[in-house]
mmCIF file of all heavy atoms in Angstrom:
data_model
loop_
_atom_site.group_PDB
_atom_site.id
_atom_site.type_symbol
_atom_site.label_atom_id
_atom_site.label_comp_id
_atom_site.label_asym_id
_atom_site.label_seq_id
_atom_site.Cartn_x
_atom_site.Cartn_y
_atom_site.Cartn_z
ATOM 1 N N ARG Y 1 120.033 174.381 126.540
ATOM 2 C CA ARG Y 1 120.431 174.395 125.130
ATOM 3 C C ARG Y 1 119.116 174.560 124.250
ATOM 4 O O ARG Y 1 118.178 173.817 124.489
ATOM 5 C CB ARG Y 1 121.150 173.109 124.767
ATOM 6 C CG ARG Y 1 121.644 173.048 123.273
ATOM 7 C CD ARG Y 1 122.504 171.792 123.064
ATOM 8 N NE ARG Y 1 121.730 170.604 123.245
ATOM 9 C CZ ARG Y 1 120.985 169.991 122.312
ATOM 10 N NH1 ARG Y 1 120.855 170.542 121.142
ATOM 11 N NH2 ARG Y 1 120.288 168.871 122.618
ATOM 12 N N ARG Y 2 119.170 175.493 123.368
ATOM 13 C CA ARG Y 2 118.087 175.721 122.476
ATOM 14 C C ARG Y 2 118.055 174.589 121.421
ATOM 15 O O ARG Y 2 118.996 174.198 120.753
ATOM 16 C CB ARG Y 2 118.185 177.022 121.767
ATOM 17 C CG ARG Y 2 118.104 178.250 122.628
ATOM 18 C CD ARG Y 2 116.662 178.469 123.115
ATOM 19 N NE ARG Y 2 115.727 178.740 122.063
ATOM 20 C CZ ARG Y 2 114.383 178.816 122.231
ATOM 21 N NH1 ARG Y 2 113.892 178.668 123.445
ATOM 22 N NH2 ARG Y 2 113.627 179.069 121.223
ATOM 23 N N ASP Y 3 116.879 174.006 121.314
ATOM 24 C CA ASP Y 3 116.573 172.928 120.324
ATOM 25 C C ASP Y 3 115.330 173.307 119.574
ATOM 26 O O ASP Y 3 114.219 172.976 119.950
ATOM 27 C CB ASP Y 3 116.471 171.602 120.988
ATOM 28 C CG ASP Y 3 116.248 170.464 120.014
ATOM 29 O OD1 ASP Y 3 116.465 170.760 118.768
ATOM 30 O OD2 ASP Y 3 115.989 169.328 120.464
ATOM 31 N N GLY Y 4 115.483 174.144 118.472
ATOM 32 C CA GLY Y 4 114.314 174.642 117.753
ATOM 33 C C GLY Y 4 113.661 175.687 118.656
ATOM 34 O O GLY Y 4 114.286 176.686 119.091
ATOM 35 N N PHE Y 5 112.394 175.453 118.908
ATOM 36 C CA PHE Y 5 111.625 176.318 119.804
ATOM 37 C C PHE Y 5 111.672 175.976 121.286
ATOM 38 O O PHE Y 5 111.061 176.536 122.124
ATOM 39 C CB PHE Y 5 110.131 176.378 119.323
ATOM 40 C CG PHE Y 5 110.009 177.030 117.987
ATOM 41 C CD1 PHE Y 5 109.754 176.221 116.860
ATOM 42 C CD2 PHE Y 5 110.036 178.381 117.837
ATOM 43 C CE1 PHE Y 5 109.608 176.769 115.574
ATOM 44 C CE2 PHE Y 5 109.919 178.952 116.614
ATOM 45 C CZ PHE Y 5 109.695 178.134 115.489
ATOM 46 N N ARG Y 6 112.330 174.835 121.592
ATOM 47 C CA ARG Y 6 112.419 174.305 122.918
ATOM 48 C C ARG Y 6 113.775 174.603 123.584
ATOM 49 O O ARG Y 6 114.758 174.712 122.815
ATOM 50 C CB ARG Y 6 112.098 172.807 122.931
ATOM 51 C CG ARG Y 6 110.664 172.488 122.528
ATOM 52 C CD ARG Y 6 110.439 171.007 122.571
ATOM 53 N NE ARG Y 6 109.119 170.611 122.168
ATOM 54 C CZ ARG Y 6 108.673 169.304 122.156
ATOM 55 N NH1 ARG Y 6 109.520 168.337 122.533
ATOM 56 N NH2 ARG Y 6 107.465 169.080 121.748
ATOM 57 N N THR Y 7 113.772 174.642 124.828
ATOM 58 C CA THR Y 7 115.055 174.665 125.562
ATOM 59 C C THR Y 7 115.217 173.346 126.329
ATOM 60 O O THR Y 7 114.332 172.929 127.141
ATOM 61 C CB THR Y 7 115.092 175.840 126.593
ATOM 62 O OG1 THR Y 7 114.963 177.031 125.804
ATOM 63 C CG2 THR Y 7 116.387 175.857 127.365
ATOM 64 N N ARG Y 8 116.307 172.614 126.039
ATOM 65 C CA ARG Y 8 116.549 171.356 126.682
ATOM 66 C C ARG Y 8 117.812 171.461 127.581
ATOM 67 O O ARG Y 8 118.661 172.364 127.419
ATOM 68 C CB ARG Y 8 116.767 170.242 125.649
ATOM 69 C CG ARG Y 8 115.569 170.071 124.745
ATOM 70 C CD ARG Y 8 115.921 168.949 123.734
ATOM 71 N NE ARG Y 8 114.870 168.783 122.792
ATOM 72 C CZ ARG Y 8 113.783 167.977 122.968
ATOM 73 N NH1 ARG Y 8 113.673 167.325 124.092
ATOM 74 N NH2 ARG Y 8 112.838 167.861 122.045
ATOM 75 N N ALA Y 9 117.882 170.573 128.522
ATOM 76 C CA ALA Y 9 119.079 170.533 129.414
ATOM 77 C C ALA Y 9 120.094 169.634 128.821
ATOM 78 O O ALA Y 9 119.830 168.495 128.423
ATOM 79 C CB ALA Y 9 118.694 170.005 130.769
ATOM 80 N N GLN Y 10 121.313 170.216 128.673
ATOM 81 C CA GLN Y 10 122.448 169.446 128.184
ATOM 82 C C GLN Y 10 123.398 169.110 129.304
ATOM 83 O O GLN Y 10 123.912 170.021 129.978
ATOM 84 C CB GLN Y 10 123.188 170.224 127.050
ATOM 85 C CG GLN Y 10 124.429 169.502 126.554
ATOM 86 C CD GLN Y 10 125.162 170.259 125.414
ATOM 87 O OE1 GLN Y 10 124.841 171.439 125.217
ATOM 88 N NE2 GLN Y 10 126.085 169.613 124.758
ATOM 89 N N THR Y 11 123.585 167.816 129.570
ATOM 90 C CA THR Y 11 124.463 167.424 130.683
ATOM 91 C C THR Y 11 125.891 167.323 130.201
ATOM 92 O O THR Y 11 126.199 166.552 129.244
ATOM 93 C CB THR Y 11 124.021 166.044 131.243
ATOM 94 O OG1 THR Y 11 122.675 166.181 131.677
ATOM 95 C CG2 THR Y 11 124.932 165.675 132.360
ATOM 96 N N VAL Y 12 126.826 168.116 130.777
ATOM 97 C CA VAL Y 12 128.204 168.184 130.374
ATOM 98 C C VAL Y 12 129.041 167.285 131.281
ATOM 99 O O VAL Y 12 130.013 166.617 130.845
ATOM 100 C CB VAL Y 12 128.715 169.664 130.391
ATOM 101 C CG1 VAL Y 12 130.154 169.722 129.953
ATOM 102 C CG2 VAL Y 12 127.847 170.543 129.495
ATOM 103 N N VAL Y 13 128.699 167.292 132.595
ATOM 104 C CA VAL Y 13 129.320 166.420 133.535
ATOM 105 C C VAL Y 13 128.227 165.625 134.266
ATOM 106 O O VAL Y 13 127.241 166.265 134.733
ATOM 107 C CB VAL Y 13 130.144 167.176 134.572
ATOM 108 C CG1 VAL Y 13 130.717 166.259 135.669
ATOM 109 C CG2 VAL Y 13 131.345 167.873 133.849
ATOM 110 N N ASP Y 14 128.313 164.348 134.303
ATOM 111 C CA ASP Y 14 127.199 163.492 134.712
ATOM 112 C C ASP Y 14 127.572 162.576 135.910
ATOM 113 O O ASP Y 14 128.218 161.557 135.739
ATOM 114 C CB ASP Y 14 126.730 162.660 133.537
ATOM 115 C CG ASP Y 14 125.434 161.894 133.826
ATOM 116 O OD1 ASP Y 14 124.901 162.059 134.944
ATOM 117 O OD2 ASP Y 14 125.025 161.111 132.934
ATOM 118 N N ASN Y 15 127.251 163.007 137.143
ATOM 119 C CA ASN Y 15 127.352 162.210 138.301
ATOM 120 C C ASN Y 15 128.763 161.663 138.515
ATOM 121 O O ASN Y 15 128.989 160.431 138.723
ATOM 122 C CB ASN Y 15 126.365 161.020 138.263
ATOM 123 C CG ASN Y 15 126.146 160.367 139.606
ATOM 124 O OD1 ASN Y 15 126.128 161.067 140.627
ATOM 125 N ND2 ASN Y 15 126.005 159.117 139.596
ATOM 126 N N VAL Y 16 129.777 162.583 138.528
ATOM 127 C CA VAL Y 16 131.175 162.188 138.677
ATOM 128 C C VAL Y 16 131.587 162.265 140.134
ATOM 129 O O VAL Y 16 131.298 163.225 140.854
ATOM 130 C CB VAL Y 16 132.038 163.118 137.829
ATOM 131 C CG1 VAL Y 16 133.504 162.882 138.150
ATOM 132 C CG2 VAL Y 16 131.815 162.835 136.357
ATOM 133 N N SER Y 17 132.273 161.202 140.615
ATOM 134 C CA SER Y 17 132.808 161.120 141.928
ATOM 135 C C SER Y 17 134.263 160.684 141.833
ATOM 136 O O SER Y 17 134.585 159.724 141.115
ATOM 137 C CB SER Y 17 132.117 160.177 142.813
ATOM 138 O OG SER Y 17 130.745 160.582 143.071
ATOM 139 N N LEU Y 18 135.161 161.434 142.488
ATOM 140 C CA LEU Y 18 136.612 161.091 142.462
ATOM 141 C C LEU Y 18 137.271 161.803 143.610
ATOM 142 O O LEU Y 18 136.680 162.725 144.222
ATOM 143 C CB LEU Y 18 137.323 161.344 141.142
ATOM 144 C CG LEU Y 18 137.148 162.772 140.598
ATOM 145 C CD1 LEU Y 18 138.215 163.749 141.195
ATOM 146 C CD2 LEU Y 18 137.409 162.721 139.065
ATOM 147 N N ASN Y 19 138.481 161.427 143.903
ATOM 148 C CA ASN Y 19 139.272 162.078 144.964
ATOM 149 C C ASN Y 19 140.673 162.258 144.489
ATOM 150 O O ASN Y 19 141.175 161.468 143.632
ATOM 151 C CB ASN Y 19 139.204 161.333 146.268
ATOM 152 C CG ASN Y 19 139.914 160.012 146.183
ATOM 153 O OD1 ASN Y 19 139.381 159.072 145.557
ATOM 154 N ND2 ASN Y 19 141.055 159.875 146.818
ATOM 155 N N ILE Y 20 141.380 163.276 145.007
ATOM 156 C CA ILE Y 20 142.791 163.459 144.729
ATOM 157 C C ILE Y 20 143.477 163.573 146.085
ATOM 158 O O ILE Y 20 143.160 164.437 146.898
ATOM 159 C CB ILE Y 20 143.015 164.735 143.975
ATOM 160 C CG1 ILE Y 20 142.121 164.792 142.660
ATOM 161 C CG2 ILE Y 20 144.527 164.824 143.502
ATOM 162 C CD1 ILE Y 20 142.187 166.139 141.941
ATOM 163 N N ASP Y 21 144.419 162.658 146.284
ATOM 164 C CA ASP Y 21 145.131 162.577 147.571
ATOM 165 C C ASP Y 21 146.307 163.580 147.618
ATOM 166 O O ASP Y 21 146.805 164.007 146.589
ATOM 167 C CB ASP Y 21 145.686 161.195 147.778
ATOM 168 C CG ASP Y 21 144.531 160.172 148.060
ATOM 169 O OD1 ASP Y 21 143.474 160.597 148.551
ATOM 170 O OD2 ASP Y 21 144.742 158.953 147.742
ATOM 171 N N HIS Y 22 146.704 163.946 148.841
ATOM 172 C CA HIS Y 22 147.816 164.876 149.015
ATOM 173 C C HIS Y 22 149.074 164.359 148.317
ATOM 174 O O HIS Y 22 149.463 163.248 148.516
ATOM 175 C CB HIS Y 22 148.064 165.070 150.461
ATOM 176 C CG HIS Y 22 146.933 165.720 151.222
ATOM 177 N ND1 HIS Y 22 146.860 167.054 151.414
ATOM 178 C CD2 HIS Y 22 145.841 165.165 151.792
ATOM 179 C CE1 HIS Y 22 145.724 167.329 152.106
ATOM 180 N NE2 HIS Y 22 145.132 166.182 152.345
ATOM 181 N N GLY Y 23 149.672 165.172 147.478
ATOM 182 C CA GLY Y 23 150.920 164.887 146.822
ATOM 183 C C GLY Y 23 150.903 163.983 145.644
ATOM 184 O O GLY Y 23 151.960 163.671 145.016
ATOM 185 N N GLU Y 24 149.704 163.586 145.228
ATOM 186 C CA GLU Y 24 149.597 162.660 144.055
ATOM 187 C C GLU Y 24 149.301 163.514 142.784
ATOM 188 O O GLU Y 24 148.931 164.649 142.855
ATOM 189 C CB GLU Y 24 148.581 161.567 144.298
ATOM 190 C CG GLU Y 24 147.182 161.976 144.055
ATOM 191 C CD GLU Y 24 146.274 160.772 143.816
ATOM 192 O OE1 GLU Y 24 146.742 159.721 143.307
ATOM 193 O OE2 GLU Y 24 145.024 160.925 144.030
ATOM 194 N N THR Y 25 149.384 162.823 141.675
ATOM 195 C CA THR Y 25 148.898 163.340 140.343
ATOM 196 C C THR Y 25 147.776 162.454 139.937
ATOM 197 O O THR Y 25 147.954 161.281 139.691
ATOM 198 C CB THR Y 25 150.009 163.443 139.304
ATOM 199 O OG1 THR Y 25 151.038 164.314 139.772
ATOM 200 C CG2 THR Y 25 149.442 163.941 138.007
ATOM 201 N N LEU Y 26 146.580 163.016 139.802
ATOM 202 C CA LEU Y 26 145.473 162.357 139.138
ATOM 203 C C LEU Y 26 145.413 162.815 137.738
ATOM 204 O O LEU Y 26 145.246 164.034 137.417
ATOM 205 C CB LEU Y 26 144.149 162.653 139.892
ATOM 206 C CG LEU Y 26 142.911 161.986 139.225
ATOM 207 C CD1 LEU Y 26 142.998 160.469 139.406
ATOM 208 C CD2 LEU Y 26 141.581 162.529 139.755
ATOM 209 N N GLY Y 27 145.564 161.917 136.790
ATOM 210 C CA GLY Y 27 145.448 162.229 135.370
ATOM 211 C C GLY Y 27 143.979 162.111 134.921
ATOM 212 O O GLY Y 27 143.320 161.051 135.240
ATOM 213 N N LEU Y 28 143.432 163.093 134.300
ATOM 214 C CA LEU Y 28 142.105 163.068 133.820
ATOM 215 C C LEU Y 28 142.163 163.088 132.302
ATOM 216 O O LEU Y 28 142.680 164.087 131.676
ATOM 217 C CB LEU Y 28 141.346 164.316 134.368
ATOM 218 C CG LEU Y 28 139.847 164.380 134.058
ATOM 219 C CD1 LEU Y 28 139.116 163.203 134.668
ATOM 220 C CD2 LEU Y 28 139.265 165.689 134.648
ATOM 221 N N VAL Y 29 141.729 162.017 131.733
ATOM 222 C CA VAL Y 29 141.902 161.897 130.220
ATOM 223 C C VAL Y 29 140.599 161.647 129.547
ATOM 224 O O VAL Y 29 139.699 161.019 130.106
ATOM 225 C CB VAL Y 29 142.962 160.706 130.018
ATOM 226 C CG1 VAL Y 29 142.409 159.448 130.454
ATOM 227 C CG2 VAL Y 29 143.402 160.698 128.506
ATOM 228 N N GLY Y 30 140.548 162.085 128.323
ATOM 229 C CA GLY Y 30 139.284 161.928 127.477
ATOM 230 C C GLY Y 30 139.407 162.762 126.305
ATOM 231 O O GLY Y 30 140.182 163.677 126.242
ATOM 232 N N GLU Y 31 138.527 162.519 125.328
ATOM 233 C CA GLU Y 31 138.553 163.317 124.129
ATOM 234 C C GLU Y 31 137.973 164.713 124.396
ATOM 235 O O GLU Y 31 137.361 164.898 125.405
ATOM 236 C CB GLU Y 31 137.638 162.571 123.042
ATOM 237 C CG GLU Y 31 138.243 161.270 122.601
ATOM 238 C CD GLU Y 31 137.190 160.537 121.662
ATOM 239 O OE1 GLU Y 31 136.061 160.445 122.027
ATOM 240 O OE2 GLU Y 31 137.693 160.097 120.607
ATOM 241 N N SER Y 32 138.163 165.650 123.469
ATOM 242 C CA SER Y 32 137.524 166.958 123.543
ATOM 243 C C SER Y 32 136.007 166.802 123.692
ATOM 244 O O SER Y 32 135.418 166.014 123.004
ATOM 245 C CB SER Y 32 137.861 167.769 122.314
ATOM 246 O OG SER Y 32 139.234 168.013 122.177
ATOM 247 N N GLY Y 33 135.442 167.597 124.630
ATOM 248 C CA GLY Y 33 134.039 167.498 124.851
ATOM 249 C C GLY Y 33 133.587 166.457 125.868
ATOM 250 O O GLY Y 33 132.384 166.228 126.059
ATOM 251 N N SER Y 34 134.552 165.830 126.391
ATOM 252 C CA SER Y 34 134.220 164.702 127.407
ATOM 253 C C SER Y 34 133.849 165.233 128.779
ATOM 254 O O SER Y 34 133.348 164.518 129.661
ATOM 255 C CB SER Y 34 135.360 163.749 127.536
ATOM 256 O OG SER Y 34 136.532 164.348 128.008
ATOM 257 N N GLY Y 35 134.073 166.548 129.041
ATOM 258 C CA GLY Y 35 133.691 167.143 130.301
ATOM 259 C C GLY Y 35 134.827 167.433 131.256
ATOM 260 O O GLY Y 35 134.644 167.950 132.362
ATOM 261 N N LYS Y 36 136.067 167.205 130.755
ATOM 262 C CA LYS Y 36 137.253 167.372 131.602
ATOM 263 C C LYS Y 36 137.385 168.790 132.129
ATOM 264 O O LYS Y 36 137.597 169.039 133.355
ATOM 265 C CB LYS Y 36 138.526 166.975 130.863
ATOM 266 C CG LYS Y 36 138.506 165.568 130.225
ATOM 267 C CD LYS Y 36 139.834 165.190 129.624
ATOM 268 C CE LYS Y 36 140.326 166.150 128.597
ATOM 269 N NZ LYS Y 36 139.509 166.255 127.411
ATOM 270 N N THR Y 37 137.362 169.730 131.234
ATOM 271 C CA THR Y 37 137.633 171.128 131.584
ATOM 272 C C THR Y 37 136.500 171.663 132.462
ATOM 273 O O THR Y 37 136.753 172.414 133.406
ATOM 274 C CB THR Y 37 137.792 171.986 130.331
ATOM 275 O OG1 THR Y 37 139.004 171.588 129.647
ATOM 276 C CG2 THR Y 37 137.850 173.463 130.662
ATOM 277 N N THR Y 38 135.251 171.297 132.186
ATOM 278 C CA THR Y 38 134.122 171.754 133.014
ATOM 279 C C THR Y 38 134.262 171.218 134.451
ATOM 280 O O THR Y 38 134.079 171.977 135.402
ATOM 281 C CB THR Y 38 132.777 171.294 132.421
ATOM 282 O OG1 THR Y 38 132.621 171.797 131.098
ATOM 283 C CG2 THR Y 38 131.620 171.700 133.293
ATOM 284 N N LEU Y 39 134.699 169.976 134.583
ATOM 285 C CA LEU Y 39 134.915 169.426 135.909
ATOM 286 C C LEU Y 39 136.089 170.192 136.644
ATOM 287 O O LEU Y 39 135.939 170.525 137.770
ATOM 288 C CB LEU Y 39 135.281 167.935 135.799
ATOM 289 C CG LEU Y 39 135.577 167.260 137.124
ATOM 290 C CD1 LEU Y 39 134.424 167.264 138.078
ATOM 291 C CD2 LEU Y 39 136.036 165.784 136.857
#
């Protein structure tokens, strides 16, 4: 991400671990910009 004359790293998803079992529904919830869609 450009920050003035510098380029910085913007972390969108940060060290996430989870599992989804066969036949279940895992609900992923959070506000816009929380990283859900990127994950």
Side-chain angles (χ1 to χ4, degrees):
R1 180 175 63 87
R2 293 289 298 175
D3 184 7
F5 293 104
R6 297 181 179 180
T7 299
R8 301 180 184 273
Q10 179 180 10
T11 300
V12 181
V13 174
D14 188 3
N15 196 36
V16 169
S17 295
L18 55 81
N19 66 289
I20 310 174
D21 292 332
H22 296 267
E24 81 160 336
T25 298
L26 178 68
L28 187 60
V29 65
E31 296 173 311
S32 297
S34 61
K36 307 185 303 296
T37 294
T38 299
L39 179 60

